[in-house]
Amino acid sequence: LAATVGLEAYLGAAVLVALALAALGGRLAATGVLCGLAVLTRPDLAVPAAVLALGLLAAPTPPRRRLAAVGVVVGLAALVALPWHVWSWFTLGGAVPDTTWVRTDDRSGPTILPAVLFWLRTFPAAAAGSALPVVLALGAAAVAAFRPRQRWAVAVLVLVAAGWAHVVALEAIDAQGAGWYYGPIVACSAVALGLAVAAVGGPVLARVSVGGVALLAGAGVATSGALP
Protein backbone atom coordinates (compact mmCIF):
# COMPACT_ATOMS: atom_id res chain seq x y z
CA LEU A 1 0.00 0.00 0.00
CA ALA A 2 2.94 2.36 0.53
CA ALA A 3 3.50 2.27 -3.24
CA THR A 4 0.02 3.71 -3.83
CA VAL A 5 0.30 7.01 -1.97
CA GLY A 6 -1.54 9.54 -4.12
CA LEU A 7 -3.80 6.92 -5.68
CA GLU A 8 -7.19 5.75 -4.47
CA ALA A 9 -6.29 3.08 -1.90
CA TYR A 10 -6.22 5.36 1.15
CA LEU A 11 -9.20 7.40 -0.04
CA GLY A 12 -11.15 4.17 -0.46
CA ALA A 13 -10.25 3.04 3.05
CA ALA A 14 -11.27 6.40 4.51
CA VAL A 15 -14.61 6.35 2.67
CA LEU A 16 -15.39 2.82 3.88
CA VAL A 17 -14.56 3.67 7.50
CA ALA A 18 -16.70 6.82 7.32
CA LEU A 19 -19.49 4.78 5.71
CA ALA A 20 -19.37 2.23 8.53
CA LEU A 21 -19.59 5.03 11.11
CA ALA A 22 -22.54 6.68 9.35
CA ALA A 23 -24.43 3.42 8.87
CA LEU A 24 -23.84 2.33 12.46
CA GLY A 25 -25.28 5.65 13.59
CA GLY A 26 -28.37 5.20 11.42
CA ARG A 27 -27.63 8.30 9.34
CA LEU A 28 -29.35 7.37 6.07
CA ALA A 29 -28.41 10.45 4.04
CA ALA A 30 -24.73 10.27 4.94
CA THR A 31 -24.71 6.52 4.30
CA GLY A 32 -26.22 6.94 0.85
CA VAL A 33 -23.86 9.74 -0.15
CA LEU A 34 -20.83 7.79 1.08
CA CYS A 35 -21.95 4.70 -0.86
CA GLY A 36 -21.99 6.83 -3.99
CA LEU A 37 -18.57 8.27 -3.17
CA ALA A 38 -17.21 4.74 -2.65
CA VAL A 39 -18.32 3.79 -6.17
CA LEU A 40 -16.77 6.97 -7.58
CA THR A 41 -13.53 6.22 -5.75
CA ARG A 42 -13.34 2.81 -7.44
CA PRO A 43 -16.28 0.83 -8.89
CA ASP A 44 -15.38 -2.41 -7.08
CA LEU A 45 -15.83 -0.66 -3.72
CA ALA A 46 -19.56 -0.99 -4.34
CA VAL A 47 -19.26 -4.49 -2.86
CA PRO A 48 -17.91 -3.64 0.62
CA ALA A 49 -19.97 -0.44 0.67
CA ALA A 50 -23.17 -2.41 0.09
CA VAL A 51 -22.29 -4.92 2.80
CA LEU A 52 -21.53 -2.16 5.30
CA ALA A 53 -24.64 -0.13 4.50
CA LEU A 54 -27.08 -3.03 4.45
CA GLY A 55 -25.57 -4.90 7.38
CA LEU A 56 -25.22 -1.97 9.75
CA LEU A 57 -28.49 -0.27 8.84
CA ALA A 58 -30.54 -3.45 9.01
CA ALA A 59 -29.29 -4.53 12.44
CA PRO A 60 -31.04 -1.96 14.67
CA THR A 61 -34.18 -1.34 12.57
CA PRO A 62 -37.46 -3.26 12.48
CA PRO A 63 -38.15 -5.21 9.25
CA ARG A 64 -40.77 -2.76 7.93
CA ARG A 65 -38.34 0.15 8.05
CA ARG A 66 -35.43 -1.73 6.52
CA LEU A 67 -36.85 -1.62 2.99
CA ALA A 68 -37.41 2.12 3.23
CA ALA A 69 -33.89 2.63 4.56
CA VAL A 70 -32.39 0.59 1.73
CA GLY A 71 -34.41 2.59 -0.81
CA VAL A 72 -33.11 5.89 0.56
CA VAL A 73 -29.50 4.70 0.56
CA VAL A 74 -29.68 3.25 -2.95
CA GLY A 75 -31.40 6.37 -4.30
CA LEU A 76 -28.86 8.76 -2.81
CA ALA A 77 -25.94 6.57 -3.91
CA ALA A 78 -27.30 6.60 -7.47
CA LEU A 79 -27.73 10.38 -7.40
CA VAL A 80 -24.08 10.77 -6.39
CA ALA A 81 -22.45 8.15 -8.65
CA LEU A 82 -24.64 7.79 -11.75
CA PRO A 83 -24.12 11.26 -13.30
CA TRP A 84 -20.39 10.64 -13.65
CA HIS A 85 -20.82 7.16 -15.12
CA VAL A 86 -23.48 8.32 -17.59
CA TRP A 87 -21.31 11.26 -18.67
CA SER A 88 -18.30 8.95 -18.96
CA TRP A 89 -20.28 6.52 -21.11
CA PHE A 90 -21.19 9.14 -23.71
CA THR A 91 -18.09 11.33 -23.52
CA LEU A 92 -15.23 8.92 -22.75
CA GLY A 93 -16.71 5.84 -24.37
CA GLY A 94 -17.13 3.70 -21.25
CA ALA A 95 -19.16 3.74 -18.04
CA VAL A 96 -16.23 2.42 -15.98
CA PRO A 97 -12.48 3.11 -16.21
CA ASP A 98 -10.43 1.24 -18.83
CA THR A 99 -8.35 -0.19 -16.01
CA THR A 100 -11.37 -2.34 -15.09
CA TRP A 101 -10.78 -4.41 -18.23
CA VAL A 102 -7.00 -4.13 -18.11
CA ARG A 103 -6.86 -5.63 -14.63
CA THR A 104 -9.43 -8.36 -15.24
CA ASP A 105 -7.96 -9.40 -18.62
CA ASP A 106 -4.39 -9.56 -17.32
CA ARG A 107 -3.26 -13.17 -16.91
CA SER A 108 0.40 -12.43 -16.20
CA GLY A 109 0.22 -13.32 -12.53
CA PRO A 110 -1.89 -14.97 -9.83
CA THR A 111 -5.31 -13.68 -8.91
CA ILE A 112 -5.94 -11.91 -5.63
CA LEU A 113 -6.23 -14.91 -3.28
CA PRO A 114 -3.32 -17.02 -4.62
CA ALA A 115 -1.22 -13.84 -4.85
CA VAL A 116 -1.07 -13.68 -1.05
CA LEU A 117 1.60 -16.41 -1.12
CA PHE A 118 3.53 -14.43 -3.74
CA TRP A 119 3.54 -11.32 -1.54
CA LEU A 120 4.57 -13.34 1.51
CA ARG A 121 7.56 -14.74 -0.39
CA THR A 122 8.55 -11.44 -2.00
CA PHE A 123 8.01 -9.06 0.93
CA PRO A 124 7.66 -11.34 3.96
CA ALA A 125 7.72 -8.68 6.71
CA ALA A 126 5.38 -6.22 5.01
CA ALA A 127 2.99 -8.92 3.81
CA ALA A 128 2.88 -10.62 7.20
CA GLY A 129 2.27 -7.28 8.90
CA SER A 130 -0.58 -6.58 6.49
CA ALA A 131 -2.09 -10.03 6.96
CA LEU A 132 -1.89 -9.90 10.76
CA PRO A 133 -4.94 -7.65 11.34
CA VAL A 134 -6.92 -9.69 8.81
CA VAL A 135 -6.20 -12.92 10.68
CA LEU A 136 -6.76 -11.40 14.12
CA ALA A 137 -10.03 -9.84 12.94
CA LEU A 138 -11.34 -13.32 12.15
CA GLY A 139 -10.76 -14.18 15.80
CA ALA A 140 -12.51 -10.98 16.81
CA ALA A 141 -15.45 -11.93 14.60
CA ALA A 142 -15.63 -15.33 16.31
CA VAL A 143 -15.84 -13.58 19.69
CA ALA A 144 -18.44 -11.12 18.37
CA ALA A 145 -20.58 -13.95 17.01
CA PHE A 146 -21.37 -14.97 20.59
CA ARG A 147 -22.61 -11.46 21.43
CA PRO A 148 -24.99 -10.71 18.55
CA ARG A 149 -27.16 -8.27 20.52
CA GLN A 150 -24.35 -5.84 21.21
CA ARG A 151 -23.82 -3.12 18.62
CA TRP A 152 -20.03 -3.35 18.65
CA ALA A 153 -20.32 -7.07 17.87
CA VAL A 154 -22.61 -6.37 14.91
CA ALA A 155 -20.15 -3.76 13.63
CA VAL A 156 -17.23 -6.17 13.93
CA LEU A 157 -19.07 -8.92 12.07
CA VAL A 158 -20.23 -6.61 9.27
CA LEU A 159 -16.80 -5.00 8.83
CA VAL A 160 -15.10 -8.38 8.55
CA ALA A 161 -17.79 -9.56 6.13
CA ALA A 162 -17.37 -6.44 3.99
CA GLY A 163 -13.62 -6.92 3.64
CA TRP A 164 -13.91 -10.57 2.70
CA ALA A 165 -16.81 -9.90 0.33
CA HIS A 166 -14.58 -7.51 -1.60
CA VAL A 167 -11.74 -10.02 -1.89
CA VAL A 168 -14.07 -12.84 -2.94
CA ALA A 169 -15.74 -10.59 -5.54
CA LEU A 170 -12.35 -9.70 -7.06
CA GLU A 171 -11.35 -13.36 -7.08
CA ALA A 172 -14.62 -14.21 -8.84
CA ILE A 173 -13.76 -11.88 -11.74
CA ASP A 174 -10.12 -13.08 -11.83
CA ALA A 175 -8.66 -9.72 -10.80
CA GLN A 176 -4.90 -9.76 -10.45
CA GLY A 177 -3.37 -9.65 -6.99
CA ALA A 178 -2.09 -6.09 -7.01
CA GLY A 179 -1.04 -4.91 -3.56
CA TRP A 180 -3.50 -2.03 -3.36
CA TYR A 181 -6.50 -4.33 -3.94
CA TYR A 182 -6.02 -5.63 -0.40
CA GLY A 183 -6.63 -2.16 1.03
CA PRO A 184 -10.34 -2.64 1.82
CA ILE A 185 -9.94 -5.94 3.66
CA VAL A 186 -6.94 -4.66 5.63
CA ALA A 187 -8.76 -1.44 6.56
CA CYS A 188 -12.05 -3.12 7.48
CA SER A 189 -10.26 -5.83 9.47
CA ALA A 190 -8.13 -3.32 11.35
CA VAL A 191 -11.18 -1.27 12.35
CA ALA A 192 -13.06 -4.41 13.38
CA LEU A 193 -10.11 -5.53 15.47
CA GLY A 194 -9.87 -2.12 17.14
CA LEU A 195 -13.57 -2.15 18.01
CA ALA A 196 -13.33 -5.63 19.50
CA VAL A 197 -10.27 -4.78 21.59
CA ALA A 198 -11.89 -1.61 22.90
CA ALA A 199 -15.17 -3.38 23.71
CA VAL A 200 -13.73 -6.50 25.33
CA GLY A 201 -10.54 -5.13 26.86
CA GLY A 202 -11.82 -1.79 28.05
CA PRO A 203 -10.33 1.71 27.69
CA VAL A 204 -6.93 0.88 29.19
CA LEU A 205 -6.21 -1.94 26.75
CA ALA A 206 -7.56 0.21 23.93
CA ARG A 207 -5.09 3.01 24.74
CA VAL A 208 -2.22 0.56 25.06
CA SER A 209 -3.15 -0.95 21.70
CA VAL A 210 -3.24 2.47 20.05
CA GLY A 211 0.23 3.16 21.40
CA GLY A 212 1.45 -0.20 20.14
CA VAL A 213 0.09 0.46 16.66
CA ALA A 214 1.78 3.87 16.61
CA LEU A 215 5.11 2.35 17.65
CA LEU A 216 4.85 -0.41 15.04
CA ALA A 217 3.98 2.12 12.34
CA GLY A 218 6.91 4.29 13.32
CA ALA A 219 9.25 1.30 13.33
CA GLY A 220 8.00 0.32 9.89
CA VAL A 221 8.74 3.77 8.49
CA ALA A 222 12.16 3.91 10.18
CA THR A 223 13.25 0.52 8.80
CA SER A 224 11.74 0.83 5.32
CA GLY A 225 14.98 2.00 3.72
CA ALA A 226 15.53 4.80 1.24
CA LEU A 227 11.90 5.69 0.64
CA PRO A 228 10.30 9.16 0.54
Side-chain angles (χ1 to χ4, degrees):
L1 290 178
T4 66
V5 172
L7 297 179
E8 80 287 344
Y10 294 98
L11 176 61
V15 169
L16 291 178
V17 173
L19 170 57
L21 186 62
L24 189 63
R27 296 189 291 274
L28 294 183
T31 300
V33 169
L34 286 163
C35 282
L37 292 177
V39 174
L40 289 177
T41 301
R42 211 170 63 206
D44 56 283
L45 294 183
V47 174
V51 173
L52 290 171
L54 298 178
L56 294 177
L57 283 175
T61 56
R64 182 173 293 182
R65 295 181 58 188
R66 291 176 189 172
L67 187 60
V70 170
V72 171
V73 169
V74 171
L76 287 172
L79 283 175
V80 171
L82 269 183
W84 162 259
H85 290 286
V86 171
W87 180 85
S88 177
W89 175 270
F90 289 104
T91 305
L92 304 179
V96 295
D98 291 344
T99 48
T100 303
W101 318 116
V102 172
R103 299 303 300 178
T104 53
D105 289 339
D106 185 3
R107 296 295 182 268
S108 61
T111 55
I112 190 165
L113 285 177
V116 173
L117 295 176
F118 163 79
W119 290 112
L120 285 170
R121 288 193 300 266
T122 308
F123 301 104
S130 301
L132 183 61
V134 177
V135 174
L136 293 178
L138 291 175
V143 173
F146 290 97
R147 308 181 185 188
R149 295 188 178 182
Q150 298 187 29
R151 296 196 72 192
W152 72 265
V154 173
V156 167
L157 290 169
V158 174
L159 280 161
V160 172
W164 280 99
H166 179 254
V167 168
V168 170
L170 290 185
E171 182 65 30
I173 61 172
D174 295 328
Q176 297 298 290
W180 54 91
Y181 286 164
Y182 300 98
I185 190 172
V186 173
C188 288
S189 297
V191 174
L193 181 60
L195 286 173
V197 168
V200 176
V204 174
L205 182 58
R207 294 189 186 98
V208 171
S209 299
V210 169
V213 169
L215 287 174
L216 286 173
V221 172
T223 60
S224 60
L227 296 174

